[in-house]
Amino acid sequence: MLTRRIIVCLDVLGGEVVKGIRFESIVSMGDPATLASRYEADGADEIVLLNIAAARDDVRVLLSTVRRTADRLTIPLTIGGGIGSIEQIEAMLVAGADKVSINSAAVSNPSLLTDAASRFGSQCVVASIDARKEKFGWRVYTHGGRMLTTLEAGGWAEECAARGAGEILLTSIDRDGTREGYDVDLTASVADAVDVPVIASGGAGGTSHIIEIFESSAAQAALVAGIVHDGSCSVREIKEVMRRQSIPVRMIA
């Protein structure tokens, strides 16, 4: 069985890490580079840095934060939020990112995934999908969860993978920030539909939720944010519980 990853997400607004509930009610949590370094020391397998002001701010405001954060890390760093062109993807990679997460731009221009994978390799391309439960299933939203599309989450994930995305970052808008647990049904349906790793995101409230998502779906990684930012639990504690539950995980000394 493949080792499962614990990925810490840093939502960034105005150069600071913030956290919200269902993409709203934003509060400040600290400096991105400092927090990323702390989480690596605690055992995080990767860091995801998302610019949540992307719909309003120029992507270039991210570059200094990316450089500062990448300089502090040896683990992979993924950058996302408002990235909509090959030139912007390249800029993030040159600044130190290992992967780039693409969401709204991929929906409006799916060939961006194909072009990015062809130029930089699938390992650099993460398709970010924000989904909410609607009457007829899980529908994809863009622009920070504000714009409903006609896309169904599983089908869109399949297309993203077929176009070259090396991973799917799947966020449940319904569960985001609620600490009620990941959306297991959504995650399982998407993970079963694709042959690339799926990262479960949205809703982690404690170690039991992380155990649940790994035992109840084929998710390869779990994204955490608020529960480690406020000290409810640490990455080290999460991984120790996973180890005791016989879930393959990378431990640190």
Side-chain angles (χ1 to χ4, degrees):
M1 186 180 294
L2 293 175
T3 299
R4 300 298 190 253
R5 291 173 289 155
I6 298 299
I7 302 175
V8 178
C9 181
L10 307 178
D11 289 341
V12 175
L13 178 66
E16 292 189 339
V17 176
V18 298
K19 188 59 185 168
I21 299 175
R22 296 187 178 95
F23 291 10
E24 298 178 350
S25 305
I26 303 299
V27 295
S28 177
M29 304 300 293
D31 174 66
T34 301
L35 287 172
S37 179
R38 181 188 306 167
Y39 295 135
E40 176 175 8
D42 201 36
D45 295 298
E46 299 186 21
I47 299 292
V48 170
L49 191 156
L50 296 180
N51 176 26
I52 66 170
R56 298 179 294 279
D57 293 349
D58 195 301
V59 172
R60 288 176 295 179
V61 304
L62 262 182
L63 289 175
S64 63
T65 300
V66 172
R67 293 188 188 99
R68 289 193 305 110
T69 305
D71 284 347
R72 301 277 294 271
L73 296 176
T74 62
I75 58 176
L77 173 66
T78 298
I79 307 300
I83 298 172
S85 70
I86 289 293
E87 292 75 20
Q88 291 171 344
I89 294 170
E90 183 174 26
M92 295 301 163
L93 296 174
V94 170
D98 298 283
K99 309 175 191 179
V100 174
S101 173
I102 309 169
N103 189 329
S104 302
V107 172
S108 60
N109 178 24
S111 64
L112 179 61
L113 294 171
T114 310
D115 294 344
S118 176
R119 181 161 178 175
F120 306 113
S122 292
Q123 78 284 351
C124 293
V125 181
V126 179
S128 178
I129 298 175
D130 297 332
R132 170 173 276 158
K133 186 68 176 291
E134 302 290 349
K135 184 176 181 180
F136 299 108
W138 290 281
R139 294 279 292 280
V140 174
Y141 280 72
T142 61
H143 298 82
R146 297 187 301 277
M147 187 174 293
L148 174 64
T149 75
T150 60
L151 297 170
E152 184 273 327
W156 175 233
E158 288 184 82
E159 181 173 350
C160 290
R163 287 182 173 275
E167 286 185 311
I168 305 295
L169 172 54
L170 179 65
T171 300
S172 167
I173 298 174
D174 296 314
R175 298 297 182 93
D176 179 70
T178 65
R179 305 197 184 191
E180 297 173 355
Y182 299 97
D183 190 324
V184 172
D185 292 339
L186 168 64
T187 305
S189 68
V190 171
D192 288 344
V194 298
D195 58 3
V196 298
V198 170
I199 304 165
S201 171
T207 55
S208 63
H209 293 146
I210 295 160
I211 299 302
E212 178 187 36
I213 199 63
F214 286 135
E215 291 184 340
S216 303
S217 79
Q220 203 276 332
L223 202 78
V224 296
I227 60 172
V228 295
H229 296 334
D230 68 10
S232 295
C233 62
S234 67
V235 176
R236 190 182 299 268
E237 290 168 345
I238 292 168
K239 287 191 162 186
E240 178 57 31
V241 174
M242 290 172 63
R243 185 191 64 79
R244 292 201 299 267
Q245 293 295 318
S246 299
I247 296 173
V249 63
R250 179 185 69 91
M251 302 296 294
I252 60 173

